[in-house]
Amino acid sequence: MVHLLEDPALRNREAVFRDRNDAGRRLAAFMRQHSPVTEPLVCAIPAGGIPIGLELAKGFQARMFLGVVRKLKIPWNPEAGFGSMTWNGKVYLNKELVRTLNLTDEEIRQAVAETEKNIRERIEQFTGGLSIPPIHGMTVIITDDGLASGYTMKAAVEALNSENPEKIIVAVPTGSAKSVAMISGMVARMICLNLRDYYPFAVADAYQNWYDLDDDEVIRSLSLARKNQLLY
């Protein structure tokens, strides 16, 4: 049975977290009270999920690793994607969109090659090329700073499932009702503190202080985490 947990006091509210660190601390506290786990691994999706993941790692005295997921860019519109690729080379296509866009096999192959290169570079940049820990038989908490469409999280869940974990839990500070419902059907437990069921939905609306994390800030955070033995 899938368990969906939320904080009813935060339903459909905005600006409920000061920043990502505050959201991560409150998420960890909520989980310890309502959904405790022992000896989990924390999988944080860069970049926005890293502060959340670090707070979960602190809260559960766990180790964190990065689940790098990147979109497959539409050739003539690189801000948009027609699928995604994960850190372990799994490719997930939005087949309906591929048909609508009439993408050729060569265009898909080129996008996959470019995305694979980008993922390798980000793993090298953020972790020095370290591989992810053994997942088989482990409880894994996947986190990000929020769920909008949910497709990045979907790819991460499917990638981890291929490694045969004992259990996957998705825990996020905020999410749209539609994406939370989609992901809930894929995992053992879904935790979303600030569930919002109205449109339009933006992750940023849950935060008082919102900005895109740049690579330098990510690297500084990971360096500190490594010193504190929080990074796998």
Side-chain angles (χ1 to χ4, degrees), residues 183-196:
I183 299 300
S184 294
M186 300 176 62
V187 297
R189 201 175 304 162
M190 175 81 224
I191 296 102
C192 178
L193 294 187
N194 169 232
L195 189 64
R196 285 179 276 149

Side-chain angles (χ1 to χ4, degrees), residues 74-213:
I74 297 172
W76 55 88
N77 182 14
E79 294 301 315
F82 63 88
S84 58
M85 187 175 187
T86 59
W87 64 91
N88 56 357
K90 303 292 184 181
V91 174
Y92 304 94
L93 299 180
N94 183 332
K95 295 181 180 179
E96 182 178 348
L97 184 57
V98 168
R99 286 193 297 269
T100 299
L101 296 172
N102 200 27
L103 291 170
T104 67
D105 289 344
E106 179 57 33
E107 286 172 328
I108 293 172
R109 280 194 295 270
Q110 182 65 30
V112 167
E114 291 175 356
T115 304
E116 183 179 24
K117 179 175 181 289
N118 180 265
I119 287 174
R120 287 199 307 268
E121 290 172 348
R122 286 178 74 79
I123 291 174
E124 179 65 34
Q125 179 184 23
F126 291 157
T127 72
L130 294 177
S131 60
I132 69 170
I135 301 300
H136 180 80
M138 298 295 294
T139 294
V140 184
I141 302 171
I142 315 179
T143 195
D144 203 348
D145 52 16
L147 292 182
S149 71
Y151 284 102
T152 296
M153 183 63 73
K154 182 176 185 288
V157 169
E158 291 181 349
L160 284 175
N161 264 328
S162 70
E163 306 288 337
N164 297 312
E166 179 182 358
K167 182 189 302 180
I168 292 179
I169 298 168
V170 169
V172 292
T174 187
S176 71
K178 183 177 180 180
S179 64
V180 166
M182 176 180 70
I183 299 300
S184 294
M186 300 176 62
V187 297
R189 201 175 304 162
M190 175 81 224
I191 296 102
C192 178
L193 294 187
N194 169 232
L195 189 64
R196 285 179 276 149
D197 57 15
Y198 57 83
Y199 182 85
F201 174 90
V203 170
D205 289 343
Y207 295 88
Q208 299 166 22
N209 180 22
W210 172 267
Y211 60 93
D212 292 332
L213 295 177

